Amino acid sequence: MVTRGFFSGRRPPSDTDARIPPGQYLEQGFPVLSAGPTPRVRTEDWSFTLKQGPKPLKKWNWAEFNALPQSKMMRDIHCVTAWTKFNTPWQGVMIDDILADAGIDPPTAHTLALSFDGYSTNVPTEDLITGKAMVALLYEGKPITADHGGPARLLVPHLYFWKSAKWVNGLQFTERDEPGFWELRGYHMYGDPWREQRYSSDP
């Protein structure tokens, strides 16, 4: 099931062209797209776990996670369904700060992001660290709504937005590049919007 929010015109102003990847159009709203029903995760039930394979490395509850250093990101985001949204403001915990609190360096080159609804997506570990990604807790200064992945979602803004897993509850370091939900269904294993890596057949 896919649900959509409202859409604006598809022709971006010419001065924005350099910020819009090939095949995308500028969106003024924030469409909602989901693979299934929206889970309603209470913060008192939320937790976040780092794993190496099946082995837990560290786990945080909501209060503990919110006590970690908070950072802000203002980024353009790009959905595989062809919309791009400029200047989206997020706040949350950088993956670097999660690893620092756990007292570990990334143990493998591959990572699976895990979600409360069983969704997963693979992201190279190097695309999560050195300031590239966060677990977002706020959008526009407010708690992220459930339909946009709240109470917490992964934010990897330089990749297509399906890689920014909604309702995230953990990262699992893996020895090999394991496909997640959409990757098993034909989406690209990496998902670079500037190379139009939408599907597994794309280079």
Side-chain angles (χ1 to χ4, degrees):
M1 179 181 73
V2 175
T3 57
R4 296 177 182 269
F6 60 90
F7 288 81
S8 62
R10 290 175 175 257
R11 182 167 185 154
S14 59
D15 62 350
T16 68
D17 287 352
R19 292 172 63 183
I20 299 180
Q24 300 287 109
Y25 70 90
L26 182 61
E27 173 61 59
Q28 300 298 334
F30 198 159
V32 176
L33 297 95
S34 300
T38 298
R40 306 289 170 175
V41 183
R42 301 186 308 166
T43 55
E44 53 264 45
D45 298 327
W46 185 91
S47 63
F48 187 88
T49 305
L50 282 183
K51 298 180 180 180
Q52 184 172 357
K55 178 185 176 182
L57 301 174
K58 184 158 184 178
K59 183 176 182 178
W60 298 260
N61 62 27
W62 182 254
E64 292 165 341
F65 196 84
N66 277 263
L68 298 178
Q70 301 274 316
S71 299
K72 294 181 179 181
M73 272 191 177
M74 177 81 75
R75 296 289 188 275
D76 299 344
I77 56 175
H78 315 286
C79 182
V80 72
T81 61
W83 57 264
T84 285
K85 183 173 176 61
F86 287 169
N87 300 325
T88 62
W90 306 87
Q91 181 174 319
V93 183
M94 304 299 295
I95 304 302
D96 302 296
D97 290 323
I98 296 172
L99 295 173
D101 192 69
I104 63 169
D105 293 320
T108 66
H110 308 291
T111 305
L112 274 174
L114 309 175
S115 297
F116 269 87
D117 61 344
Y119 177 89
S120 63
T121 190
N122 63 311
V123 184
T125 304
E126 68 179 3
D127 285 274
L128 297 174
I129 59 176
T130 62
K132 298 186 187 79
M134 69 163 50
V135 172
L137 306 172
L138 302 177
Y139 177 72
E140 293 185 328
K142 300 176 182 178
I144 300 172
T145 59
D147 58 344
H148 283 299
R153 73 174 298 157
L154 187 63
L155 179 66
V156 192
H158 61 284
L159 300 180
Y160 278 125
F161 210 46
W162 93 79
K163 295 290 187 176
S164 295
K166 294 181 177 183
W167 314 296
V168 71
N169 68 349
L171 295 176
Q172 181 178 14
F173 297 106
T174 59
E175 295 296 333
R176 64 183 184 88
D177 194 11
E178 299 183 17
F181 180 88
W182 285 117
E183 294 82 16
L184 286 169
R185 290 158 176 81
Y187 277 36
H188 201 276
M189 288 290 283
Y190 185 60
D192 182 349
W194 294 98
R195 296 168 64 186
E196 287 196 89
Q197 292 176 332
R198 301 174 193 273
Y199 306 109
S200 58
S201 57
D202 296 328

